[in-house]
Amino acid sequence: MIGALLTGKYEQGMDILFRKKLDKINNVQIGLSAINDDLIVYATDYPDSIKGLIKTLSICDYVIYAPSVEINAIDAELALAIEFSEVKEGVMLIDEAMDIQKVERLLGDLKVSKLKRVGLSGVKELNFQPIERANGKNRYVSIDKYFLVRGIGSVLIGFVFGGAVNKNDKLFLLPSGKQITIKSIQVMDEDRKEALAGEHVGLALNNATEKDMEDNYCLSDSKDIFDKFTADIEMCKFYNRDINNLDLASAFYDKELNLKIETKNMRNICSSNEKIPLTDSLLLMDPSLGKGKNRVVGKLYNLKQI
């Protein structure tokens, strides 16, 4: 499983969460959890940018929400981002100096107000069960790094999402739709026959050239992808800009998306810079606003092919 540490300011004391820090990929730091076999990720570019935040929320199974002692606008934005994401589980890290009544008043009835509250020393009690995500209808492996190995062929490094992948599975490179076969699997330098959702893996592939790896962003068991679709919108009440033809940001798992939305004949027509499998929900944020202002737009749901 993957936990996302959500904080406006990473502090040294938070190192207790990590057994070991691994790669940093596109503004997301990856690490091994200090108390279980999970991975923990956090956005290194937040709050200056929202790109890493959207990615961590798109891939995580639970959150570790770490607000400031004095709740501020950044903490509120994180709480709203969680609200419009698919995340249902997590904990809130609290400090003895916090005014809990003020925290409760500011967070109201948001998801984060219902999270179990623990101090950093209490994080050892974390024990979350895997949950099925709406995006989990299709298996998905991100292509974070790729290279050629003599005698083996094309190898990719990435995350597994949506369900386990197995040796000899046939999957599709997206967006090209080319079918490949998984020749071998490694997890933490250990040869495996299977990689589970939430694991960071190395996959050796048959029928994949270096050009294929360069031009595609993931493996999937579906090659049905779209860059134009309709969707319903749930708006955040603290966001009041007109979103028609505004450049908005989202992510499908760890794939960054730039979205434009135009309302025609009572339908929201969504255009994406990338073709993706249709999912049930996408978090929407506004990258044109600066930190300190609420950048959470809301979410898209009921995505349908036009």
Side-chain angles (χ1 to χ4, degrees):
M1 294 178 68
I2 300 174
L5 172 61
L6 301 185
T7 181
K9 183 180 180 182
Y10 186 91
E11 299 186 3
Q12 190 171 358
M14 295 175 183
D15 288 343
I16 194 174
L17 298 170
F18 295 90
R19 185 184 345 147
K20 181 181 180 182
K21 290 184 179 177
L22 304 173
D23 293 340
K24 184 171 76 171
I25 301 173
N26 296 328
N27 303 315
V28 175
Q29 176 67 58
I30 305 165
L32 296 176
S33 169
I35 37 88
N36 50 34
D37 293 329
D38 293 351
L39 294 175
I40 297 180
V41 297
Y42 69 88
T44 59
D45 59 346
Y46 185 79
D48 296 317
S49 170
I50 56 172
K51 290 184 177 181
L53 171 64
I54 297 174
K55 287 181 188 176
T56 58
L57 280 170
S58 73
I59 67 174
C60 73
D61 299 292
Y62 60 87
V63 295
I64 303 170
Y65 174 59
S68 310
V69 172
E70 288 291 332
I71 298 287
N72 57 36
I74 296 300
D75 302 317
E77 179 176 68
L78 286 172
L80 290 169
I82 294 168
E83 186 72 14
F84 288 95
S85 75
E86 289 191 50
V87 178
K88 297 180 176 64
E89 290 198 81
V91 295
M92 182 193 301
L93 294 184
I94 58 172
D95 187 282
E96 291 180 358
M98 277 182 175
D99 183 338
I100 298 301
Q101 289 185 333
K102 182 179 180 181
V103 172
E104 291 175 344
R105 185 170 65 253
L106 290 172
L107 297 180
D109 59 356
L110 296 175
K111 284 181 190 177
V112 290
S113 67
K114 302 174 180 64
L115 298 180
K116 182 178 179 180
R117 297 168 189 168
V118 298
L120 271 171
S121 61
V123 174
K124 293 181 180 180
E125 301 173 12
L126 289 179
N127 183 22
F128 297 107
Q129 298 301 312
I131 58 172
E132 182 177 349
R133 297 169 59 96
N135 286 352
K137 293 177 179 178
N138 297 320
R139 290 181 297 164
Y140 181 104
V141 183
S142 62
I143 301 176
D144 298 331
K145 296 180 181 180
Y146 61 88
F147 42 87
L148 294 177
V149 178
R150 182 176 294 180
I152 295 178
S154 293
V155 173
L156 74 80
I157 306 295
F159 280 107
V160 178
F161 302 113
V165 294
N166 300 277
K167 184 177 179 179
N168 298 322
D169 275 353
K170 296 183 183 299
L171 299 173
F172 299 101
L173 287 162
L174 298 184
S176 72
K178 182 177 182 178
Q179 189 176 63
I180 58 85
T181 303
I182 297 177
K183 183 161 56 173
S184 64
I185 299 174
Q186 279 199 342
V187 179
M188 300 301 293
D189 297 323
E190 176 188 343
D191 289 330
R192 297 259 293 269
K193 293 183 178 180
E194 177 186 58
L196 304 177
E199 291 188 317
H200 202 220
V201 298
L203 301 180
L205 308 176
N206 275 329
N207 195 34
T209 66
E210 190 170 14
K211 182 65 174 174
D212 290 330
M213 307 302 285
E214 178 183 337
D215 292 343
N216 292 278
Y217 64 82
C218 78
L219 298 178
S220 173
D221 56 6
S222 172
K223 62 178 179 179
D224 296 325
I225 53 176
F226 307 90
D227 57 9
K228 186 166 283 192
F229 47 87
T230 64
D232 294 324
I233 304 175
E234 182 180 346
M235 296 291 294
C236 173
K237 65 181 180 180
F238 299 105
Y239 182 87
N240 53 19
R241 302 181 75 189
D242 181 3
I243 64 171
N244 264 288
N245 289 312
L246 197 64
D247 289 320
L248 301 175
S250 187
F252 181 75
Y253 289 126
D254 69 339
K255 183 61 180 174
E256 287 181 27
L257 301 177
N258 299 321
L259 296 172
K260 284 184 180 292
I261 301 171
E262 185 179 4
T263 301
K264 290 183 178 179
N265 301 322
M266 304 297 289
R267 294 200 307 170
N268 300 308
I269 310 299
C270 307
S271 300
S272 170
N273 66 314
E274 289 282 357
K275 290 187 175 182
I276 61 168
L278 294 187
T279 180
D280 288 351
S281 176
L282 288 173
L283 171 66
L284 284 178
M285 296 190 72
D286 183 348
S288 69
L289 297 176
K291 66 178 179 181
K293 296 183 179 181
N294 172 49
R295 293 169 284 188
V296 180
V297 177
K299 71 176 180 180
L300 296 178
Y301 64 101
N302 290 338
L303 280 65
K304 295 179 181 178
Q305 178 182 358
I306 293 178

